[in-house]
Amino acid sequence: MKTLTLRRPDDWHLHLRDGAVLKGVIGDTSRHFARAIIMPNLVPPVVTTEDAKAYRERIMAALPVGDRFQPLMTLYLTEHTQPDDVEEGKKSGLITAVKLYPAGATTNSHGGVRNLDNAMPVLERMAKIGLPLCVHGEVTNPEVDIFDREAVFIETVLEPLRRRLPELKVTVEHVTTADGINYIKSAERNLAGSITTHHLIINRNAILVGGIRPHYYCLPVAKRENHRLALRAAATSGDARFFLGTDSAPHVDPLKECACGCAGIYTSLNTMSCLAHVFEEEKALDKLEAFASLNGPAWYGLPVNEETITLEKRDEPAVYPDKRDTEAGAITVFDPMYPLHWHVV
Ligand code: NCD
Ligand code: ZN
């Protein structure tokens, strides 16, 4: 039997939602993870420091008794975000990052940014005070093919922004392409990328072959196999610029299994077993701690966790529910399409 002990991991991109879904899913994160960056795309979004404070309180109230978990709050960037509010949020220790959603790019992003020029005062302040910008790196122009939206975003939005504000720290979230990986590797500083669990495991065939499979649909959408391989190479390389952001994004099943299903894959529950499987396949189990537990805190300037987590590889596969039941309805858990032999103990 193989065992693997790591510092307790963190999740640098997580959707916890609110109300009954929050109550139903949070335990799947707090069981394994010490901290997570909490996405602000609620309805209405978490826009001000005051909103973030109230949301943090709701998260703490939903936490299973006895779990130690620290939500790291983000603000949803709008064209009206106030630089002073953002600075205050950082100073008080409440705000870890600000999130840029190009308007219309993904779930609940209609209030996002249309013209980045209008957000420059906030971005300049963030560069000055060292507060990272997390970006959903996809353009939304209808002319751009959905499989090209990340590469076009890098070229037409991100690179110009970084030239204009070289001191701004930018996290490219949920990188899905070799283009994204290469761009991050080409930067000497102030640029990093998070990678999800599912993008290491599926390519676009999972969504489209043999019938349409809504539980593999997320944004950015999974790409061709060569991109998945580039993500795996980056994640398992130990390169400090890459770290785990699961982008676990729960939607109750009726919202996914319909004529216009929501984007989002629910991976919090089995992420650590999936990652151990992937890293073992890549003969890189020794790099899993860097990816899941060390590189993220280094980038965000936070201490690494002192507690540990142990995984064991057993002959019998891990048994876990295929759906997480919540008071709002059932949420399908990510199925990697193979049995998982790594158990979290
Ligand atoms: C996310 C969600 O549902 O909030 N969906 C997703 O497919 N990842 C939004 C996002 O991060 O794009
Ligand atoms: Zn997300």
Side-chain angles (χ1 to χ4, degrees):
M1 191 175 63
K2 282 197 219 171
T3 72
L4 183 64
T5 295
L6 318 169
R7 283 183 190 265
R8 203 169 172 79
D10 302 303
D11 184 350
W12 301 96
H13 179 132
L14 175 67
H15 299 269
L16 280 179
R17 314 303 190 200
D18 215 341
V21 173
L22 166 63
K23 249 179 89 194
V25 302
I26 186 168
D28 288 336
T29 290
S30 60
R31 196 174 311 122
H32 297 162
F33 295 88
R35 298 171 288 199
I37 283 199
I38 310 301
M39 288 297 122
N41 62 332
L42 303 182
V43 189
V46 179
V47 171
T48 63
T49 294
E50 202 180 302
D51 297 339
K53 189 161 175 275
Y55 185 30
R56 187 180 193 283
E57 280 163 16
R58 297 198 296 280
I59 294 170
M60 295 312 284
L63 198 61
V65 179
D67 278 11
R68 273 191 302 272
F69 172 72
Q70 202 188 341
L72 304 171
M73 307 309 290
T74 59
L75 296 178
Y76 182 110
L77 183 65
T78 73
E79 295 180 13
H80 310 286
T81 299
Q82 296 299 313
D84 286 347
D85 184 55
V86 168
E87 179 162 357
E88 227 141 86
K90 176 181 158 56
K91 276 200 186 137
S92 71
L94 179 73
I95 301 301
T96 301
V98 172
K99 174 78 188 228
L100 165 64
Y101 287 104
T106 188
T107 313
N108 304 336
S109 63
H110 42 270
V113 175
R114 271 158 228 284
N115 181 352
L116 212 47
D117 286 345
N118 295 332
M120 280 319 279
V122 185
L123 297 172
E124 281 161 9
R125 185 74 66 87
M126 288 166 59
K128 192 166 150 215
I129 64 176
L131 185 64
L133 179 71
C134 292
V135 300
H136 182 107
E138 290 191 289
V139 292
T140 54
N141 324 15
E143 324 70 85
V144 180
D145 189 280
I146 192 162
F147 290 100
D148 298 332
R149 288 180 173 198
E150 185 169 290
V152 174
F153 179 88
I154 289 169
E155 194 188 312
T156 63
V157 182
L158 187 53
E159 175 59 17
L161 173 64
R162 293 186 57 249
R163 278 177 195 268
R164 200 162 160 188
L165 270 182
E167 292 310 317
L168 182 66
K169 282 183 80 157
V170 179
T171 313
V172 184
E173 302 218 273
H174 41 52
V175 183
T176 58
T177 59
D179 313 71
I181 296 294
N182 291 337
Y183 181 67
I184 291 163
K185 283 206 228 158
S186 74
E188 254 148 52
R189 54 192 208 100
N190 288 343
L191 190 64
S194 66
I195 300 178
T196 76
T197 312
H198 48 280
H199 288 113
L200 295 172
I201 295 176
I202 59 164
N203 63 29
R204 62 195 198 176
N205 282 9
I207 313 162
L208 297 170
V209 172
I212 220 163
R213 295 178 198 276
H215 296 294
Y216 293 112
Y217 171 61
C218 67
L219 286 170
V221 71
K223 309 292 191 301
R224 283 177 177 276
E225 179 64 359
N226 63 302
H227 295 293
R228 185 184 75 103
L229 295 178
L231 298 173
R232 282 171 81 107
T236 60
S237 67
D239 186 326
R241 291 169 291 191
F242 299 104
F243 44 80
L244 174 65
T246 64
D247 194 15
S248 183
H251 294 278
V252 292
D253 285 351
L255 293 179
K256 294 207 46 92
E257 299 168 2
C258 57
C260 184
C262 292
I265 301 181
Y266 185 58
T267 55
S268 291
L269 191 143
N270 56 1
T271 273
M272 290 314 295
S273 296
C274 287
L275 290 177
H277 185 104
V278 166
F279 277 65
E280 185 178 40
E281 278 180 343
E282 297 292 327
K283 302 192 173 38
L285 276 175
D286 61 324
K287 299 294 196 318
L288 180 55
E289 186 176 43
F291 182 67
S293 317
L294 304 178
N295 296 347
W299 168 250
Y300 283 103
L302 296 168
V304 294
N305 297 314
E306 289 304 331
E307 293 181 333
T308 58
I309 186 175
T310 297
L311 291 126
E312 246 174 43
K313 190 177 182 191
R314 300 188 192 146
D315 291 338
E316 73 280 7
V319 178
Y320 54 86
D322 57 356
K323 292 185 194 288
R324 168 56 69 218
D325 281 312
T326 76
E327 280 170 27
I331 294 162
T332 293
V333 175
F334 174 63
D335 173 8
M337 296 179 271
Y338 43 65
L340 295 169
H341 288 272
W342 284 94
H343 300 235
V344 179
V345 294

